[in-house]
Amino acid sequence: MRLSNSLFFACGFIVASTGAGARSLPPVQPVNHVDLTRFMGTWYVIATIPTRFEKNAYNAVETYTLQPDGNVYTAFRFNNGGFGAPEKKIHSLGIVKANTGNAIWGVQLFWPLRAQYIVAYLSQDYRETIVARDARDYTWVMARTPTISPHDYAVLIDKVKALGYDISKIRKVPQRWSSDIVGKAGGN
């Protein structure tokens, strides 16, 4: 990705990240605890209220790597506009907020600005998660596999709605992978 596109996205995301809370809703409640070691690895984006940058994402995948200092290196990649479109990549740092059970991070695309990242739902088996923000502007429903059952999808979208999001803005992210590629992508 060219630097100008990266800076455009970063500036737009940061500006959107600094807005006031949505419709005076209470803050999003994070899960009690995230075992960061178990949380690391590949997460497929199943559905999202997307940022401007990812509105046309296909095969969207977020990969987390725990760093020695306890923060999280994030690598987000997707095909922009279709399955055969060029792959776009964004790298950032998730800075885990102290005393939050590892459930609240500040995602830093560049210093000094950070975007809010709240693990609002995490299944006990660490196979599905919802990342939210107090502003209720963006959300990500992710799973360890590129697809989930219609029942699981409906349950997760109901959870997003219960968080105070307008689910009419949800975009189901097209995912198409062969089984050998899923294994290589690190599907946990």
Side-chain angles (χ1 to χ4, degrees):
M1 175 184 337
R2 294 186 342 235
L3 181 59
S4 60
N5 286 344
S6 296
L7 288 176
F8 174 76
F9 167 69
C11 290
F13 186 73
I14 297 301
V15 167
S17 299
T18 58
R23 303 178 308 271
S24 302
L25 292 171
V28 170
Q29 291 301 303
V31 297
N32 289 330
H33 180 74
V34 175
D35 178 336
L36 286 178
T37 302
R38 287 185 69 193
F39 198 75
M40 296 301 100
T42 299
W43 289 94
Y44 295 88
V45 181
I46 302 299
T48 184
I49 295 179
T51 64
R52 177 179 305 202
F53 186 67
E54 60 189 308
K55 281 187 177 183
N56 296 307
Y58 286 66
N59 285 349
V61 176
E62 181 98 322
T63 303
Y64 302 122
T65 306
L66 189 60
Q67 302 299 290
D69 64 2
N71 291 316
V72 179
Y73 173 78
T74 68
F76 179 59
R77 68 184 193 276
F78 62 93
N79 299 97
N80 191 25
F83 292 113
E87 186 175 78
K88 302 284 185 178
K89 297 178 184 178
I90 302 171
H91 302 279
S92 59
L93 182 66
I95 300 165
V96 180
K97 187 174 177 183
N99 304 313
T100 65
N102 303 322
I104 299 177
W105 308 356
V107 175
Q108 188 172 57
L109 295 167
F110 59 88
W111 185 86
L113 302 174
R114 296 180 191 168
Q116 187 183 49
Y117 178 109
I118 302 169
V119 180
Y121 170 77
L122 180 59
S123 63
Q124 289 184 343
D125 60 5
Y126 281 65
R127 306 287 296 162
E128 298 172 342
T129 192
I130 297 170
V131 174
R133 293 169 28 86
D134 287 337
R136 273 63 168 207
D137 48 359
Y138 308 119
T139 189
W140 296 267
V141 175
M142 299 186 289
R144 296 295 192 175
T145 55
T147 59
I148 59 175
S149 74
H151 174 266
D152 286 353
Y153 180 81
V155 168
L156 289 167
I157 297 305
D158 283 347
K159 290 180 184 299
V160 170
K161 183 177 182 179
L163 291 169
Y165 280 90
D166 176 356
I167 62 167
S168 71
K169 296 179 180 180
I170 292 278
R171 176 182 181 260
K172 192 167 186 179
V173 177
Q175 298 278 359
R176 186 173 66 202
W177 302 86
S178 66
S179 60
D180 60 325
I181 291 174
V182 170
K184 290 177 186 175
N188 296 324

